[in-house]
Structures are given as C-alpha cells and as structure tokens.
C-alpha cells in the first residue's frame, strides 16, 4: 500500500488540519525522522498554500487547529504545533499552544522544522539589503584584510560571479586572484 493511500485512508479523505474535502494532497512534514506515512499529513489546497507561504497566513482559517491539535497522529500534532507557533502573537493561538501536550521527541521534531524554516528564510543580502544571487557581481565597500596572509582586498575591488555559501551571511568569489569567502555585508551589488 502506498503512502498516499495509507494517509488517505487514515484521514477519511479529509484534510487532517481543517477537515476540508477539497483539493487534497499528501504533505510530508519537514524534518521528519523517517519517510513513512507517519511523517505525512493529508492537507487541502488552502492549508498547503498557507503552510508553504507564511505571508498568506489567514488567522481565522487556522482556528481549526483547536480540533486537529488533539489528533493521535504525531505528524498532525507537529504541524499544529508549528502553525500555532507561527500564530503565537494571537491570544487564541497562544492559549491553544499552552494547552497542547506532546511527547519530547515530537516537540524536538516540531522545533527542528521551525529552525530549518527560519534558516531558509534568511536571505543573502548586500550592505544595502539587496538580495544577492549566485553569479552576481559585487564590489567591496571597505578594505578587508585576508585572514592568514598579509593581503588586503581594497575598497572598490570587483568580485565577479559570486557563489552563495551554506551560510547566508557569506558569499564566495575570486578577488585579487584568490578564491575566498567574503562577508556579504561588506559587498555592494553592481
């Protein structure tokens, strides 16, 4: 039996968050400990859109979490926890979050997903807040000493075709004939 059919049967062909029966699909909960049906929830199109794009969060739609947070399915509880955390500035959401009881391993799973989402939300930007992308050209805005050498990258030096690194605060590129990692806040997009 496929994951989709297991989750569909478990959910009774309804969204496990809001109970809608329209436009259903399986959503794998990020940072899941495994890739089984237990790490997935059945969601409607509205819930999926709002989960994937935090800017579209409709507070009134998520009042349904009052019921779904009590689900016996760990993935549903984890999603309810994460959504309530996003909405915690609302009194009703904070009240529900305070009432929610979860095992420690499920809280760890929920918090890990929140941390990953926050890390993904951090964008690499230059000194002016302009988003940087791989391949952009930048200029250095101040003299930068290169660690481990006597070399100093002078203000105004062009770095062409930068690459993004795992750390959103850094970019890498070739300056003064040497590949190096540069703090993005010391760059200005050309």
């Amino acid at each position: 039996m496929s994951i989709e059919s297991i989750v569909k049967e478990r959910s009774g062909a309804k969204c496990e968050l809001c109970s809608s029966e329209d436009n259903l699909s399986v959503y794998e909960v990020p940072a899941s400990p495994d890739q089984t049906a237990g790490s997935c929830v059945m969601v409607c199109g509205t819930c999926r859109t709002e989960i994937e794009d935090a800017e579209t969060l409709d507070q009134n739609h998520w009042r349904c979490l009052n019921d779904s947070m009590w689900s016996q399915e760990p993935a549903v509880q984890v999603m309810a926890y994460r959504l309530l955390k996003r909405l915690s500035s609302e009194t009703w959401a904070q009240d529900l979050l305070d009432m929610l009881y979860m095992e420690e391993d499920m809280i760890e799973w929920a918090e890990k997903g929140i941390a990953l989402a926050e890390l993904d939300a951090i964008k690499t930007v230059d000194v002016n807040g302009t988003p940087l992308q791989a391949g952009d050209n930048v200029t250095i805005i101040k003299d930068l000493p290169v660690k481990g050498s006597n070399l100093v990258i002078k203000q105004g030096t062009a770095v062409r075709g930068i690459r993004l690194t795992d750390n959103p605060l850094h970019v890498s590129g070739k300056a003064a004939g040497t590949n190096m990692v540069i703090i993005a806040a010391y760059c200005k997009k050309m």
Side-chain angles (χ1 to χ4, degrees), residues 80-89 93-94 97 111 114:
Y81 180 89
R82 290 179 184 174
L83 291 162
L84 288 170
K85 277 284 208 177
R86 268 199 222 167
L87 293 163
S88 63
S89 62
Q94 186 59 52
L97 198 53
E111 291 291 340
I114 291 170

Side-chain angles (χ1 to χ4, degrees), residues 1 23 32 41 50 64 68 91-93 96 101 127-128 130 137 161:
M1 202 174 209
N23 197 13
S32 299
V41 294
E50 294 195 19
C64 61
S68 57
T91 307
W92 65 268
L96 291 179
Y101 173 78
V127 67
N128 296 324
T130 305
N137 299 324

Side-chain angles (χ1 to χ4, degrees), residues 128-145:
N128 296 324
T130 305
L132 296 174
Q133 297 177 350
D136 284 346
N137 299 324
V138 298
T139 57
I140 305 299
I141 62 162
K142 69 180 243 175
D143 290 353
L144 298 175

Side-chain angles (χ1 to χ4, degrees), residues 97-131:
L97 198 53
D98 291 342
M99 286 191 294
L100 183 60
Y101 173 78
M102 292 171 50
E103 298 291 330
E104 280 189 43
D105 58 333
M106 289 192 336
I107 291 174
E108 187 177 308
W109 174 17
E111 291 291 340
K112 185 176 181 184
I114 291 170
L116 288 174
E118 288 172 354
L119 188 60
D120 286 345
I122 299 173
K123 303 290 183 210
T124 303
V125 295
D126 71 0
V127 67
N128 296 324
T130 305

Side-chain angles (χ1 to χ4, degrees), residues 163-179:
R163 293 176 301 282
L164 301 180
T165 65
D166 292 339
N167 183 341
L169 302 177
H170 297 142
V171 296
S172 68
K174 199 170 203 173
T178 307
N179 279 324

